[in-house]
Amino acid sequence: MAKRAAPEVNAGSMADIAFLLLIFFLVTTTIETDTGINRKLPPIEDNEEDVIIKQKNIFTVLLNGKDQLLVEDELMELKDIRKAAVEFLDNGGDGTCSYCRGKKDPGSSDNPDKAIISLKNERETSYKMYISVQNELVAAYNFLRDRESNRLYGWNFSEVKKDIDAGTYLGDVTDARAKLKEVQLLFPLKLSEAEPKKN
Amino acid sequence: MSKFTKKKGNELPPVSTASLPDIVFMLLFFFMVVTVMRDTELKVEQNLPKANQIEKLKKDRSVFIFAGKPSLQYRKNFGEEGRIQIGDKFTDISNIGLALTEARGKLNPELQSKVVVAIKVDDDTNTGLVTDIKEKLRQLNMVKIIYITASGDPIDQ
């Protein structure tokens, strides 16, 4: 008796099964990338020496428990703080800053290296507002750094930094990193977050 | 003559669907590979604040701290005040150190010294809680932090 050939398995429903699985994975997938604002906290030092900083070199931002902003003793809206911070950082009061384009107001900061932004908040301040203010202050620095990198190298600081971080920068990465450092030093980020007022 | 009339030239042959399973499988494998199942269950609310001056988080060297109001099913036991969550459980402010050191131990040994603490806080939280966390981190000498935010313009929120 001749051996009967085994009948072929019907593969017609294979596509349906695969679709089902596909849809399951499509629904469960969350491609998440976390983004945020980087910050370095000041380390605790044993010798707490009082460094004397001239009042004019400090840009005080107070944020109270009702989310109101007091910038340099004046009430301010969130949208205006970026411009105010840029003016303060870019002032160049003592004339040593050759790249500053500010008003050279003697009552404001001496140069970007000495300029410090001090952000104080209360315990009841909402986190949303706090992050918004932080964001605007970082934006002020980024604005100035973009301007300087454009002047020196013809590209935007923040864009190149983003590309390097994402690994999509076309060109010499080490060279670009060194240039980023230089631009950073022109406007070093000096943002002090003091402990909040107790009340 | 019928030899010539039989052939109808304008009828298209049906599209072969034989390769459809292959295509679908290809997609399936792609999604299977990129899918990461969540390893921590969130016990606090997480509506992140918006910001636009943001940088990407390097996931291989970060440990997470979540904070915010407890989710609905935990309100009964833990109240409505902002709480801190590390890993899978609620943590008290005084225990952060232990929990963070444990979380850091799970990272790649070469990267442990470069640890970045990712602070993921609900936007409806008091900043005081964040300040407490920051103060604790300074004592632990984990000074590199990142405030995790959603992207968007903070001014028109």
Side-chain angles (χ1 to χ4, degrees):
Chain A
M1 210 168 158
K3 213 173 152 193
R4 268 168 63 194
E8 215 174 286
V9 177
N10 182 11
S13 53
M14 179 93 98
D16 300 344
I17 297 165
F19 260 121
L20 219 72
L21 282 168
L22 174 63
I23 289 163
F24 169 72
F25 279 101
L26 261 171
V27 171
T28 54
T29 304
T30 43
I31 303 176
E32 49 178 309
T33 43
D34 283 316
T35 51
I37 301 173
N38 271 315
R39 183 56 31 85
K40 201 168 176 189
L41 299 172
I44 291 180
E45 279 161 26
D46 297 330
N47 50 335
E48 290 262 333
E49 278 173 45
D50 274 346
V51 186
I52 296 157
I53 302 165
K54 279 188 217 155
Q55 188 54 45
K56 66 173 189 169
N57 280 328
I58 305 178
F59 184 76
T60 354
V61 181
L62 286 166
L63 193 54
N64 78 0
K66 296 187 182 74
D67 290 354
Q68 289 163 321
L69 268 174
L70 194 70
V71 179
E72 296 278 68
D73 297 328
E74 264 176 68
L75 266 173
M76 199 177 264
E77 295 280 316
L78 179 62
K79 60 179 167 41
D80 302 321
I81 190 173
R82 188 186 300 197
K83 201 162 154 267
V86 166
E87 267 171 24
F88 166 76
L89 293 169
D90 202 25
N91 182 50
D94 66 354
T96 53
C97 167
S98 56
Y99 48 87
C100 292
R101 298 181 200 168
K103 290 179 191 149
K104 308 229 184 308
D105 174 10
S108 187
S109 77
D110 281 336
N111 63 47
D113 196 39
K114 283 184 185 160
I116 293 171
I117 295 180
S118 154
L119 173 61
K120 279 183 190 152
N121 62 284
E122 283 175 9
R123 286 196 71 92
E124 287 84 13
T125 310
S126 82
Y127 185 66
K128 190 192 218 166
M129 188 66 183
Y130 178 70
I131 287 294
S132 303
V133 173
Q134 288 249 5
N135 183 63
E136 289 308 299
L137 294 175
V138 174
Y141 277 104
N142 280 345
F143 170 80
L144 290 167
R145 286 172 175 178
D146 276 353
R147 194 188 75 191
E148 288 313 305
S149 65
N150 250 317
R151 180 176 65 87
L152 292 169
Y153 310 116
W155 37 255
N156 269 348
F157 176 88
S158 46
E159 280 164 22
V160 169
K161 193 164 184 208
K162 207 181 198 175
D163 282 350
I164 289 179
D165 283 347
T168 53
Y169 183 70
L170 309 167
D172 191 351
V173 175
T174 32
D175 180 53
R177 276 229 173 88
K179 283 176 177 169
L180 284 183
K181 264 249 153 63
E182 260 172 59
V183 177
Q184 251 173 43
L185 284 178
L186 294 180
F187 286 101
L189 194 138
K190 295 194 173 175
L191 210 166
S192 130
E193 300 167 53
E195 284 109 83
K197 283 192 288 185
K198 302 258 161 34
N199 52 353
Chain B
M1 282 305 271
S2 60
K3 204 178 184 183
F4 300 104
T5 48
K6 223 181 198 172
K7 217 178 187 178
K8 276 187 188 163
N10 57 355
E11 211 173 273
L12 283 168
V15 179
S16 164
T17 53
S19 56
L20 189 61
D22 301 344
I23 297 165
V24 175
F25 266 118
M26 219 158 70
L27 281 169
L28 175 64
F29 286 138
F30 169 72
F31 279 101
M32 277 176 78
V33 170
V34 297
T35 302
V36 222
M37 299 283 173
R38 268 187 183 282
D39 50 350
T40 49
E41 183 203 352
L42 279 176
K43 293 186 171 177
V44 291
E45 282 184 9
Q46 293 266 279
N47 294 315
L48 298 174
K50 285 182 188 160
N52 51 17
Q53 309 292 320
I54 49 179
E55 290 167 55
K56 234 174 162 179
L57 167 76
K58 292 189 182 105
K59 227 172 192 161
D60 55 351
R61 63 196 65 178
S62 49
V63 291
F64 282 89
I65 297 179
F66 306 96
K69 274 185 199 161
S71 316
L72 280 177
Q73 68 263 42
Y74 300 105
R75 290 254 169 98
K76 221 172 91 193
N77 294 336
F78 294 97
E80 301 227 343
E81 277 293 295
R83 287 294 210 132
I84 302 162
Q85 181 193 350
I86 297 174
D88 267 342
K89 43 190 182 291
F90 286 114
T91 310
D92 204 57
I93 190 83
S94 52
N95 290 332
I96 286 184
L98 213 66
L100 279 183
T101 334
E102 197 190 318
R104 182 169 63 176
K106 287 178 189 156
L107 295 178
N108 208 336
E110 298 95 76
L111 296 173
Q112 283 186 10
S113 55
K114 292 180 182 166
V115 68
V116 178
V117 182
I119 303 182
K120 242 177 155 170
V121 181
D122 188 76
D123 60 7
D124 195 23
T125 316
N126 284 349
T127 319
L129 187 68
V130 184
T131 315
D132 291 343
I133 297 175
K134 280 188 337 206
E135 193 52 36
K136 202 79 197 174
L137 288 176
R138 283 180 66 192
Q139 287 166 18
L140 291 166
N141 207 15
M142 290 165 134
V143 289
K144 280 181 108 172
I145 60 169
I146 179 166
Y147 301 110
I148 304 290
T149 60
S151 60
D153 196 348
I155 289 176
D156 53 46
Q157 64 178 325

